[in-house]
Amino acid sequence: MYEDKTLICKDCGKEFVFTAGEQEFYAEKGFVNEPQRCKACRDARKNAVKGERQMFTATCASCGGEAKVPFQPRDDRPVYCSECFAKMKEENA
């Protein structure tokens, strides 16, 4: 039913393949337009929109180690490092 199509990226001008599988996925989702950018340009565009995430350093309430978190820690709420957070999540599951 679907056949691979070669399209031209509107950002970099290079050819890319819009595969039959991708076309089927687009049809299932109800998308009517073909992609206009290659995967590399789509990824670069997504990352440019997101920007860099600011990370904050805090002390883990469980082990006392350093915890880097994507939010401003508050004194009234405990903060956990990745390992301690994963252990707590596992224990509560």
Side-chain angles (χ1 to χ4, degrees), residues 45-65:
R45 188 173 161 99
K46 283 180 193 173
N47 290 334
V49 170
K50 282 185 190 175
E52 284 297 313
R53 184 179 237 189
Q54 184 179 5
M55 299 297 280
F56 298 90
T57 303
T59 302
C60 177
S62 183
C63 71

Side-chain angles (χ1 to χ4, degrees), residues 8 22 42 44 56 82:
I8 307 293
E22 290 171 329
R42 284 196 314 264
F56 298 90
S82 298

